[in-house]
Coordinates of all heavy atoms in Angstrom, one line a residue:
M26 N -149.2 68.2 53.0 CA -149.0 68.9 54.2 C -150.3 69.0 55.0 O -151.3 69.4 54.5 CB -148.4 70.4 53.9 CG -148.1 71.0 55.2 SD -147.2 72.5 54.8 CE -148.7 73.6 54.5
A27 N -150.3 68.6 56.2 CA -151.4 68.7 57.1 C -151.7 70.2 57.5 O -150.8 70.9 57.7 CB -151.2 67.8 58.4
V28 N -153.0 70.4 57.5 CA -153.6 71.7 57.9 C -154.1 71.5 59.3 O -155.0 70.7 59.5 CB -154.6 72.2 57.0 CG1 -155.1 73.5 57.5 CG2 -153.9 72.4 55.6
I29 N -153.6 72.2 60.3 CA -154.1 72.1 61.7 C -154.5 73.3 62.2 O -154.0 74.5 61.8 CB -152.8 71.7 62.7 CG1 -152.2 70.4 62.1 CG2 -153.3 71.7 64.1 CD1 -150.9 70.0 62.8
T30 N -155.8 73.2 62.8 CA -156.4 74.5 63.2 C -156.4 74.4 64.7 O -156.8 73.4 65.4 CB -157.9 74.6 62.7 OG1 -157.8 74.5 61.2 CG2 -158.7 75.9 63.1
T31 N -156.2 75.5 65.4 CA -156.1 75.6 66.7 C -156.5 77.0 67.2 O -156.1 78.0 66.6 CB -154.7 75.2 67.4 OG1 -154.9 75.2 68.7 CG2 -153.7 76.0 67.0
D32 N -156.9 77.3 68.5 CA -157.3 78.6 68.9 C -156.2 79.3 69.3 O -156.1 80.4 69.3 CB -158.3 78.4 70.0 CG -159.7 77.9 69.7 OD1 -160.0 78.1 68.5 OD2 -160.4 77.4 70.6
M33 N -155.2 78.5 69.6 CA -154.0 79.2 70.2 C -152.7 78.3 69.9 O -152.6 77.2 70.2 CB -154.2 79.2 71.8 CG -153.2 80.0 72.5 SD -153.8 79.9 74.3 CE -152.5 80.9 75.1
L34 N -151.8 79.0 69.2 CA -150.5 78.4 68.9 C -149.4 78.9 69.8 O -149.2 80.1 69.8 CB -150.1 78.6 67.4 CG -148.9 78.0 66.9 CD1 -148.9 76.4 67.1 CD2 -148.4 78.4 65.5
I35 N -148.7 78.0 70.6 CA -147.7 78.4 71.4 C -146.3 77.9 70.9 O -146.3 76.6 70.6 CB -148.0 77.9 72.8 CG1 -149.3 78.5 73.4 CG2 -146.8 78.3 73.8 CD1 -150.1 77.7 74.3
I36 N -145.3 78.7 70.9 CA -144.0 78.4 70.3 C -143.1 78.1 71.6 O -142.8 79.0 72.2 CB -143.4 79.4 69.4 CG1 -144.4 79.9 68.3 CG2 -142.2 78.9 68.8 CD1 -145.0 78.8 67.3
G37 N -142.6 76.9 71.6 CA -141.6 76.6 72.6 C -142.2 75.7 73.8 O -143.2 76.2 74.5
T38 N -141.7 74.6 74.0 CA -142.3 73.6 75.1 C -141.5 73.8 76.2 O -140.9 72.8 76.9 CB -142.3 72.1 74.6 OG1 -140.9 71.8 74.1 CG2 -143.2 71.9 73.4
S39 N -141.2 74.9 76.6 CA -140.3 75.4 77.7 C -141.2 75.6 78.9 O -142.4 75.4 78.9 CB -139.6 76.6 77.4 OG -140.6 77.5 77.0
P40 N -140.6 76.0 80.0 CA -141.4 76.4 81.3 C -142.4 77.5 80.8 O -143.6 77.3 81.1 CB -140.3 77.0 82.2 CG -139.0 76.3 81.9 CD -139.1 76.1 80.3
A41 N -142.1 78.5 80.1 CA -142.9 79.6 79.8 C -144.1 79.0 78.9 O -145.2 79.2 79.0 CB -142.2 80.7 79.1
G42 N -143.6 78.3 77.8 CA -144.5 77.7 76.8 C -145.4 76.6 77.4 O -146.6 76.7 77.2
S43 N -145.0 75.8 78.4 CA -145.8 74.8 78.9 C -146.8 75.4 79.8 O -147.9 74.9 79.9 CB -144.8 73.8 79.7 OG -144.0 73.2 78.9
A44 N -146.3 76.4 80.7 CA -147.4 77.0 81.5 C -148.4 77.8 80.7 O -149.5 77.8 81.0 CB -146.7 78.0 82.4
T45 N -147.9 78.4 79.5 CA -148.8 79.1 78.7 C -149.9 78.2 78.1 O -151.0 78.6 77.8 CB -148.1 80.0 77.6 OG1 -147.1 80.7 78.2 CG2 -149.0 80.8 76.7
A46 N -149.6 77.0 77.9 CA -150.5 76.0 77.3 C -151.3 75.4 78.4 O -152.5 75.2 78.3 CB -149.6 74.8 76.6
A47 N -150.7 75.1 79.6 CA -151.5 74.3 80.6 C -152.5 75.2 81.2 O -153.7 74.7 81.6 CB -150.4 73.9 81.6
L48 N -152.1 76.4 81.5 CA -153.2 77.3 82.3 C -154.5 77.6 81.3 O -155.6 77.2 81.8 CB -152.6 78.7 82.6 CG -151.6 78.5 83.7 CD1 -150.7 79.7 83.9 CD2 -152.2 78.2 85.0
P49 N -154.4 77.9 79.9 CA -155.8 77.9 79.2 C -156.4 76.6 79.0 O -157.6 76.5 79.1 CB -155.4 78.5 77.9 CG -153.9 78.7 77.9 CD -153.3 78.4 79.3
S50 N -155.5 75.5 79.0 CA -156.0 74.2 78.8 C -157.1 73.9 80.1 O -158.1 73.2 80.0 CB -155.0 73.1 78.9 OG -154.3 73.2 77.6
S51 N -156.6 74.4 81.3 CA -157.4 74.1 82.4 C -158.7 74.9 82.5 O -159.6 74.5 83.2 CB -156.6 74.5 83.7 OG -156.4 75.9 83.8
Y52 N -158.9 75.7 81.5 CA -160.2 76.3 81.3 C -160.9 76.0 80.1 O -161.9 76.5 79.5 CB -160.0 77.9 81.2 CG -159.7 78.6 82.5 CD1 -158.3 78.7 82.8 CD2 -160.7 79.0 83.3 CE1 -157.9 79.4 84.0 CE2 -160.4 79.5 84.7 CZ -159.1 79.8 85.0 OH -158.8 80.4 86.1
G53 N -160.3 74.8 79.5 CA -160.9 74.2 78.2 C -160.5 74.9 77.0 O -161.2 74.7 75.9
V54 N -159.6 75.8 76.9 CA -159.2 76.6 75.8 C -158.2 75.7 75.0 O -157.2 75.3 75.4 CB -158.5 78.0 76.1 CG1 -158.1 78.6 74.8 CG2 -159.4 78.9 76.8
E55 N -158.6 75.4 73.8 CA -157.8 74.5 72.9 C -156.5 75.1 72.4 O -156.5 76.4 72.1 CB -158.6 74.1 71.7 CG -157.8 73.1 70.8 CD -158.4 72.9 69.4 OE1 -159.7 73.1 69.2 OE2 -157.6 72.6 68.5
N56 N -155.4 74.5 72.6 CA -154.2 75.0 72.1 C -153.2 74.0 71.7 O -153.4 72.8 72.0 CB -153.5 75.9 73.3 CG -153.2 75.1 74.5 OD1 -152.2 74.3 74.4 ND2 -154.0 75.2 75.5
M57 N -152.1 74.4 71.0 CA -151.1 73.5 70.5 C -149.7 74.1 71.0 O -149.6 75.3 70.6 CB -151.3 73.2 69.1 CG -150.1 72.3 68.5 SD -150.4 72.1 66.7 CE -151.4 70.7 66.8
V58 N -148.8 73.3 71.3 CA -147.5 73.8 71.6 C -146.5 73.1 70.7 O -146.6 71.8 70.5 CB -147.1 73.3 73.1 CG1 -145.8 74.2 73.3 CG2 -148.2 73.8 73.9
V59 N -145.7 73.8 70.0 CA -144.7 73.2 69.0 C -143.4 73.6 69.5 O -143.2 74.7 70.1 CB -144.9 73.7 67.7 CG1 -146.2 73.2 67.1 CG2 -144.9 75.2 67.4
N60 N -142.4 72.9 69.2 CA -141.0 73.2 69.6 C -140.0 72.9 68.4 O -140.3 72.1 67.6 CB -140.5 72.4 70.8 CG -139.4 73.0 71.5 OD1 -139.5 74.1 72.1 ND2 -138.2 72.3 71.4
R61 N -139.0 73.5 68.4 CA -138.0 73.5 67.3 C -137.3 72.2 67.3 O -137.0 71.5 66.3 CB -137.0 74.7 67.4 CG -135.8 74.5 66.4 CD -134.8 75.6 66.8 NE -135.2 77.0 66.5 CZ -134.7 78.1 66.9 NH1 -133.5 78.0 67.7 NH2 -135.0 79.3 66.5
Y62 N -137.1 71.6 68.6 CA -136.4 70.3 68.6 C -137.4 69.3 69.3 O -138.4 69.5 69.9 CB -135.3 70.4 69.8 CG -134.3 71.6 69.3 CD1 -134.4 72.8 70.1 CD2 -133.5 71.5 68.3 CE1 -133.5 73.9 69.7 CE2 -132.6 72.6 67.9 CZ -132.6 73.7 68.6 OH -131.7 74.7 68.3
H63 N -137.2 68.0 68.9 CA -137.9 66.9 69.3 C -137.3 66.1 70.6 O -137.8 65.2 70.9 CB -138.1 65.9 68.2 CG -137.0 65.1 67.8 ND1 -136.0 65.6 67.0 CD2 -136.6 63.8 68.0 CE1 -135.1 64.8 66.7 NE2 -135.4 63.7 67.4
L64 N -136.2 66.7 71.0 CA -135.6 66.1 72.2 C -135.7 66.9 73.4 O -135.9 68.2 73.3 CB -134.1 65.9 72.0 CG -133.8 64.9 70.7 CD1 -132.3 65.3 70.4 CD2 -134.1 63.6 71.0
L65 N -135.7 66.4 74.6 CA -135.5 67.1 75.9 C -134.1 67.4 76.1 O -133.3 66.8 75.6 CB -136.1 66.3 77.1 CG -137.5 66.0 77.0 CD1 -138.0 65.0 78.2 CD2 -138.4 67.2 77.2
A66 N -133.9 68.5 76.9 CA -132.5 68.8 77.3 C -131.9 67.6 78.0 O -132.6 66.8 78.7 CB -132.6 70.0 78.2
N67 N -130.6 67.5 77.9 CA -130.0 66.3 78.5 C -129.5 66.5 79.9 O -128.7 65.7 80.4 CB -128.9 65.8 77.6 CG -127.8 66.8 77.3 OD1 -127.9 67.9 77.9 ND2 -126.7 66.4 76.6
T68 N -129.8 67.6 80.4 CA -129.4 67.8 81.9 C -130.6 68.5 82.6 O -131.5 69.2 81.9 CB -128.3 69.0 81.9 OG1 -128.5 70.2 81.1 CG2 -126.9 68.3 81.4
P69 N -130.8 68.2 83.9 CA -131.9 68.8 84.5 C -131.8 70.4 84.6 O -130.7 70.9 84.9 CB -131.7 68.2 86.0 CG -130.4 67.5 86.1 CD -129.8 67.5 84.7
R70 N -133.0 71.0 84.6 CA -132.9 72.4 84.6 C -134.0 73.0 85.6 O -134.5 74.1 85.5 CB -133.2 73.0 83.2 CG -131.9 72.8 82.5 CD -132.0 72.9 81.0 NE -130.8 72.5 80.5 CZ -130.3 72.7 79.3 NH1 -130.9 73.5 78.7 NH2 -129.2 72.2 78.9
A71 N -134.4 72.1 86.6 CA -135.5 72.6 87.5 C -135.2 72.0 88.8 O -136.2 71.5 89.4 CB -136.9 72.3 87.0
H72 N -134.1 72.1 89.2 CA -133.7 71.7 90.6 C -134.4 72.4 91.7 O -134.8 72.0 92.7 CB -132.2 71.8 90.9 CG -131.4 70.7 90.4 ND1 -130.7 71.0 89.2 CD2 -131.1 69.5 90.9 CE1 -130.1 69.8 88.9 NE2 -130.2 69.0 89.9
I73 N -134.6 73.7 91.4 CA -135.1 74.6 92.3 C -136.4 75.3 91.7 O -136.2 75.9 90.7 CB -134.1 75.7 92.8 CG1 -132.7 75.0 93.2 CG2 -134.5 76.8 93.7 CD1 -131.5 75.9 93.3
T74 N -137.4 75.3 92.4 CA -138.6 76.0 92.0 C -139.0 76.9 93.0 O -138.9 76.7 94.2 CB -139.7 74.9 91.9 OG1 -139.8 74.1 92.9 CG2 -139.6 74.0 90.6
N75 N -139.3 78.2 92.5 CA -139.5 79.2 93.3 C -141.0 79.2 93.9 O -141.9 78.5 93.3 CB -139.1 80.6 92.9 CG -139.9 81.0 91.5 OD1 -141.0 80.6 91.3 ND2 -139.3 81.9 90.9
Q76 N -141.4 80.2 94.7 CA -142.7 80.2 95.2 C -143.7 80.5 94.2 O -144.8 79.9 94.2 CB -142.9 81.4 96.3 CG -142.3 81.0 97.7 CD -142.3 82.1 98.6 OE1 -141.8 83.1 98.3 NE2 -143.0 81.9 99.7
R77 N -143.5 81.4 93.3 CA -144.3 81.7 92.2 C -144.7 80.4 91.3 O -145.9 80.3 91.0 CB -143.9 82.9 91.3 CG -144.9 83.3 90.3 CD -146.2 83.9 90.8 NE -147.1 84.1 89.7 CZ -148.4 83.5 89.6 NH1 -148.7 82.9 90.8 NH2 -149.1 83.8 88.8
M78 N -143.7 79.8 91.0 CA -143.9 78.5 90.3 C -144.8 77.5 90.9 O -145.7 77.0 90.5 CB -142.5 77.8 90.2 CG -142.5 76.4 89.6 SD -143.0 76.5 87.8 CE -142.9 74.8 87.5
M79 N -144.6 77.4 92.4 CA -145.5 76.5 93.1 C -146.9 77.0 93.1 O -147.9 76.2 93.1 CB -145.0 76.3 94.6 CG -143.7 75.6 94.6 SD -143.4 74.2 93.6 CE -144.6 73.1 94.6
E80 N -147.1 78.4 93.1 CA -148.5 78.9 92.9 C -149.1 78.6 91.7 O -150.3 78.3 91.6 CB -148.4 80.4 93.1 CG -148.1 80.9 94.5 CD -147.8 82.5 94.6 OE1 -147.9 83.0 93.7 OE2 -147.5 82.8 95.8
V81 N -148.3 78.6 90.6 CA -148.8 78.3 89.2 C -149.2 76.8 89.3 O -150.3 76.5 88.8 CB -147.7 78.6 88.1 CG1 -148.2 78.1 86.8 CG2 -147.6 80.0 88.1
L82 N -148.4 76.0 89.8 CA -148.7 74.5 89.9 C -150.0 74.3 90.7 O -150.8 73.5 90.3 CB -147.6 73.7 90.5 CG -146.2 73.6 89.6 CD1 -145.2 72.9 90.4 CD2 -146.5 73.1 88.2
R83 N -150.1 75.0 91.8 CA -151.4 74.9 92.6 C -152.6 75.4 91.7 O -153.6 74.7 91.8 CB -151.2 75.7 93.8 CG -152.4 75.7 94.7 CD -152.1 76.3 96.1 NE -151.1 75.6 96.8 CZ -150.5 76.0 97.9 NH1 -151.0 77.2 98.4 NH2 -149.6 75.3 98.5
D84 N -152.4 76.4 90.9 CA -153.5 76.9 90.1 C -153.9 75.8 89.2 O -155.2 75.7 88.8 CB -153.1 78.1 89.3 CG -153.2 79.4 90.2 OD1 -153.7 79.4 91.3 OD2 -152.5 80.4 89.7
L85 N -153.0 74.9 88.6 CA -153.2 73.9 87.7 C -154.1 72.8 88.3 O -154.5 71.9 87.6 CB -152.0 73.4 87.1 CG -151.5 74.4 86.0 CD1 -149.9 73.9 85.8 CD2 -152.3 74.6 84.8
G86 N -154.0 72.6 89.7 CA -154.8 71.6 90.4 C -154.0 71.0 91.4 O -152.8 71.0 91.4
Q87 N -154.7 70.5 92.4 CA -154.1 69.9 93.7 C -153.3 68.7 93.2 O -152.2 68.5 93.8 CB -155.1 69.5 94.6 CG -155.6 70.6 95.5 CD -156.5 70.0 96.5 OE1 -157.2 69.0 96.4 NE2 -156.7 70.9 97.6
E88 N -153.7 68.0 92.2 CA -153.0 66.7 91.8 C -151.7 67.2 91.2 O -150.7 66.4 91.3 CB -153.7 65.9 90.8 CG -154.2 66.4 89.6 CD -155.3 67.3 89.6 OE1 -155.9 67.8 90.6 OE2 -155.6 67.9 88.4
V89 N -151.7 68.3 90.5 CA -150.4 68.8 89.9 C -149.4 69.2 90.8 O -148.2 68.8 90.8 CB -150.7 69.9 88.9 CG1 -149.4 70.4 88.2 CG2 -151.7 69.4 87.7
E90 N -149.9 69.9 91.9 CA -149.0 70.3 92.9 C -148.5 69.1 93.6 O -147.3 69.1 94.1 CB -149.9 71.3 93.9 CG -148.9 71.8 95.1 CD -149.7 72.6 95.9 OE1 -151.0 72.4 96.1 OE2 -149.1 73.4 96.7
A91 N -149.4 68.1 94.0 CA -148.9 67.0 94.6 C -147.9 66.2 94.0 O -146.9 65.6 94.5 CB -150.3 66.1 94.8
E92 N -148.1 66.2 92.6 CA -147.0 65.4 91.9 C -145.7 66.0 91.9 O -144.6 65.4 91.9 CB -147.5 65.3 90.3 CG -146.4 64.5 89.6 CD -147.0 64.2 88.1 OE1 -148.1 64.6 87.8 OE2 -146.2 63.6 87.3
A93 N -145.7 67.4 91.9 CA -144.4 68.2 92.1 C -143.8 67.9 93.4 O -142.5 67.5 93.5 CB -144.7 69.7 92.0
Y94 N -144.6 67.8 94.4 CA -144.0 67.4 95.8 C -143.4 65.9 95.7 O -142.4 65.7 96.3 CB -145.0 67.6 96.8 CG -145.1 69.0 97.3 CD1 -146.1 69.8 97.0 CD2 -144.0 69.6 98.2 CE1 -146.2 71.1 97.6 CE2 -144.1 70.8 98.7 CZ -145.2 71.7 98.3 OH -145.3 72.9 98.6
M95 N -144.2 65.0 95.1 CA -143.9 63.6 95.0 C -142.5 63.5 94.3 O -141.7 62.6 94.7 CB -145.0 62.7 94.2 CG -144.8 61.4 94.3 SD -146.1 60.6 93.3 CE -145.5 60.9 91.6
R96 N -142.3 64.2 93.3 CA -141.0 64.2 92.6 C -139.9 65.0 93.0 O -138.7 64.9 92.5 CB -141.3 64.4 91.1 CG -142.2 63.6 90.5 CD -142.4 63.8 88.9 NE -143.5 63.1 88.4 CZ -143.4 61.7 88.1 NH1 -142.3 61.1 88.2 NH2 -144.5 61.1 87.6
A97 N -140.1 65.8 94.0 CA -139.1 66.8 94.5 C -138.0 66.0 95.3 O -138.4 65.0 96.0 CB -139.8 67.8 95.4
A98 N -136.8 66.4 95.3 CA -135.7 66.0 96.1 C -136.0 66.4 97.5 O -136.5 67.5 97.8 CB -134.3 66.5 95.6
E99 N -135.5 65.6 98.5 CA -135.6 65.9 99.9 C -134.6 67.2 100.1 O -133.7 67.3 99.4 CB -135.1 64.8 100.7 CG -136.0 63.5 100.7 CD -137.5 63.8 101.2 OE1 -137.6 64.7 102.1 OE2 -138.4 63.3 100.6
Q100 N -135.1 68.1 100.9 CA -134.4 69.2 101.3 C -133.0 69.0 101.6 O -132.1 69.7 101.2 CB -135.1 70.1 102.4 CG -134.4 71.4 102.8 CD -134.3 72.3 101.6 OE1 -135.5 72.6 101.0 NE2 -133.3 73.0 101.4
D101 N -132.7 67.9 102.4 CA -131.4 67.7 102.9 C -130.5 67.2 101.7 O -129.1 67.0 101.9 CB -131.2 66.8 104.0 CG -131.9 65.4 103.8 OD1 -132.5 65.1 102.7 OD2 -131.7 64.4 104.7
L102 N -131.1 66.9 100.5 CA -130.2 66.5 99.3 C -129.8 67.8 98.6 O -128.9 67.7 97.7 CB -130.9 65.6 98.4 CG -131.3 64.1 99.1 CD1 -132.1 63.2 98.1 CD2 -129.8 63.5 99.5
M103 N -130.5 68.8 98.8 CA -130.2 70.1 98.2 C -129.1 70.7 99.1 O -129.2 70.7 100.3 CB -131.4 71.0 98.0 CG -132.6 70.3 97.3 SD -132.1 69.9 95.6 CE -132.1 71.6 94.8
D104 N -128.3 71.5 98.3 CA -127.2 72.1 99.1 C -127.4 73.7 99.3 O -128.6 74.0 99.5 CB -125.7 71.9 98.6 CG -124.8 71.6 99.6 OD1 -124.9 72.4 100.7 OD2 -123.8 70.9 99.5
E105 N -126.4 74.4 98.9 CA -126.6 75.8 99.1 C -126.3 76.5 97.7 O -125.5 76.1 97.0 CB -125.6 76.3 100.3 CG -126.1 75.9 101.6 CD -124.9 76.1 102.6 OE1 -123.8 76.0 102.2 OE2 -125.3 76.3 103.8
N106 N -127.0 77.7 97.6 CA -126.6 78.6 96.5 C -125.4 79.5 97.0 O -125.5 80.0 98.0 CB -127.8 79.4 96.1 CG -128.9 78.7 95.3 OD1 -128.6 77.6 94.8 ND2 -130.0 79.3 95.3
M107 N -124.5 79.6 96.2 CA -123.5 80.4 96.5 C -123.4 81.6 95.6 O -123.5 81.5 94.5 CB -122.0 79.6 96.5 CG -121.9 78.5 97.6 SD -120.5 77.4 97.2 CE -119.2 78.7 97.4
F108 N -123.0 82.7 96.2 CA -122.8 83.9 95.5 C -121.4 84.3 95.5 O -120.9 84.5 96.6 CB -123.8 85.1 95.9 CG -125.2 84.6 96.0 CD1 -125.9 83.9 97.0 CD2 -126.0 85.1 94.8 CE1 -127.2 83.6 96.9 CE2 -127.3 84.7 94.7 CZ -127.9 84.0 95.8
C109 N -120.8 84.4 94.3 CA -119.3 84.6 94.2 C -119.0 85.7 93.2 O -119.9 85.8 92.3 CB -118.6 83.4 93.9 SG -118.9 82.0 94.9
K110 N -117.9 86.3 93.4 CA -117.5 87.3 92.5 C -117.2 86.8 91.1 O -117.4 87.5 90.0 CB -116.4 88.2 93.1 CG -116.8 89.1 94.1 CD -115.7 90.0 94.5 CE -116.3 91.1 95.5 NZ -115.3 92.0 96.1
S111 N -116.6 85.5 91.1 CA -116.4 84.9 89.8 C -116.5 83.3 90.2 O -116.7 83.0 91.3 CB -115.1 85.1 89.2 OG -114.0 84.8 90.0
L112 N -116.3 82.5 89.1 CA -116.6 81.0 89.3 C -115.7 80.6 90.4 O -116.1 79.8 91.4 CB -116.3 80.2 88.0 CG -116.9 79.0 87.9 CD1 -118.5 79.0 88.2 CD2 -116.6 78.4 86.5
A113 N -114.5 80.9 90.5 CA -113.6 80.5 91.6 C -113.1 81.6 92.5 O -112.2 81.6 93.2 CB -112.3 79.8 91.0
G114 N -114.0 82.8 92.4 CA -113.7 83.9 93.1 C -114.1 84.0 94.6 O -114.8 83.0 95.1
E115 N -114.0 85.2 95.1 CA -114.5 85.4 96.5 C -115.9 85.1 96.8 O -116.7 85.5 95.9 CB -114.2 86.9 96.9 CG -114.4 87.3 98.4 CD -114.3 88.7 98.5 OE1 -113.7 89.4 97.8 OE2 -114.9 89.2 99.6
E116 N -116.1 84.3 97.8 CA -117.6 84.1 98.1 C -118.2 85.3 98.8 O -117.7 85.8 99.8 CB -117.6 82.8 98.9 CG -119.1 82.5 99.3 CD -119.2 81.2 100.1 OE1 -118.4 80.3 100.0 OE2 -120.1 81.2 101.0
I117 N -119.3 85.8 98.4 CA -120.0 86.9 98.9 C -121.0 86.4 100.0 O -121.3 87.0 101.1 CB -120.8 87.7 97.9 CG1 -119.7 88.2 96.9 CG2 -121.4 88.8 98.5 CD1 -120.3 88.7 95.6
G118 N -121.6 85.2 99.7 CA -122.6 84.6 100.7 C -123.3 83.5 100.1 O -122.9 83.1 99.0
R119 N -124.0 82.7 101.0 CA -124.7 81.5 100.5 C -126.0 81.5 101.2 O -126.1 82.0 102.2 CB -123.9 80.3 100.6 CG -123.4 80.1 102.1 CD -122.7 78.8 102.1 NE -121.4 78.7 101.5 CZ -120.6 77.7 101.2 NH1 -121.2 76.4 101.5 NH2 -119.4 77.8 100.7
M120 N -126.9 80.8 100.6 CA -128.3 80.5 101.3 C -128.7 79.1 100.9 O -128.4 78.5 99.9 CB -129.3 81.5 100.9 CG -129.6 81.5 99.4 SD -130.9 82.8 99.2 CE -131.5 82.5 97.6
K121 N -129.4 78.4 101.7 CA -129.9 77.1 101.4 C -130.9 77.1 100.2 O -131.7 78.0 100.0 CB -130.9 76.7 102.6 CG -130.1 76.3 103.9 CD -129.6 74.9 103.7 CE -128.9 74.4 104.8 NZ -127.9 73.2 104.5
S122 N -130.8 76.1 99.4 CA -131.5 76.0 98.2 C -132.9 75.7 98.6 O -133.3 75.0 99.6 CB -131.1 74.8 97.4 OG -129.8 75.1 96.9
Ligands
LIG222 C1 -128.1 73.5 83.5 C2 -129.3 74.4 83.8 C3 -130.0 74.3 85.1 C4 -131.1 75.1 85.5 N1 -131.6 74.9 86.6 C5 -132.7 75.8 87.0 C6 -133.3 75.5 88.2 O1 -133.0 74.7 89.1 N2 -134.4 76.3 88.6 C7 -134.8 77.3 87.7 O2 -135.8 78.0 88.0 N3 -134.3 77.5 86.5 C8 -133.2 76.8 86.1 N4 -132.6 76.9 84.9 C9 -133.0 78.1 84.1 C10 -134.3 77.6 83.4 O3 -134.1 76.6 82.7 C11 -134.7 78.8 82.5 O4 -134.9 79.9 83.2 C12 -136.0 78.5 81.7 O5 -135.8 77.2 80.9 C13 -136.3 79.6 80.8 O6 -137.7 79.1 80.2 P1 -138.2 79.9 79.0 O7 -139.6 79.2 78.8 O8 -138.2 81.3 79.2 O9 -137.2 79.6 77.8 P2 -136.4 78.3 77.3 O10 -136.3 77.3 78.4 O11 -135.2 78.9 76.6 O12 -137.4 77.7 76.1 C14 -137.5 78.2 74.9 C15 -138.0 77.1 73.9 O13 -138.5 77.6 72.8 C16 -138.0 76.7 71.8 N5 -137.8 77.6 70.5 C17 -137.1 78.8 70.5 N6 -137.2 79.2 69.2 C18 -138.0 78.5 68.6 C19 -138.7 78.6 67.2 N7 -138.4 79.4 66.2 N8 -139.5 77.5 66.8 C20 -139.9 76.5 67.8 N9 -139.3 76.5 68.9 C21 -138.5 77.4 69.4 C22 -136.8 76.3 72.2 O14 -136.4 75.0 71.7 C23 -137.0 76.0 73.8 O15 -137.5 74.8 74.0 C24 -131.5 76.2 84.6 C25 -130.8 76.2 83.3 C26 -129.8 75.5 83.1 C27 -129.2 75.7 81.6

């Protein structure tokens, strides 16, 4: 069995785990991220990124922020978020994604 030494062990290669690893890395703090599974999710889970997320990407560097913009879908391809009482129930409102 291999013995691995690291300053910081992060469990979960998720948004929280990845950010928890990337931010100290940008200050040179050694860390390791491990995950229970060796596969990525088979469906997209980051269609919509909020302002705080974009601030974190900016903190990671201009090139990271620029890559996010490069890979982003055009606004006109995004539709609207709908708020409903149930899946097929009364619509309360909607806003642009
Ligand atoms: C279909 C779908 C679409 C989505 N779209 C968006 C979107 O457009 N925008 C948005 O902001 N959010 C979206 N979300 C929500 C977003 O994916 C979650 O809010 C986000 O993934 C939560 O991140 P997290 O780091 O808290 O936890 P998680 O993503 O749940 O990550 C936890 C990680 O820890 C690992 N783990 C757990 N236990 C262990 C263990 N014991 N040992 C090792 N590893 C472990 C898991 O395998 C997992 O990788 C979407 C979700 C789904 C399902």
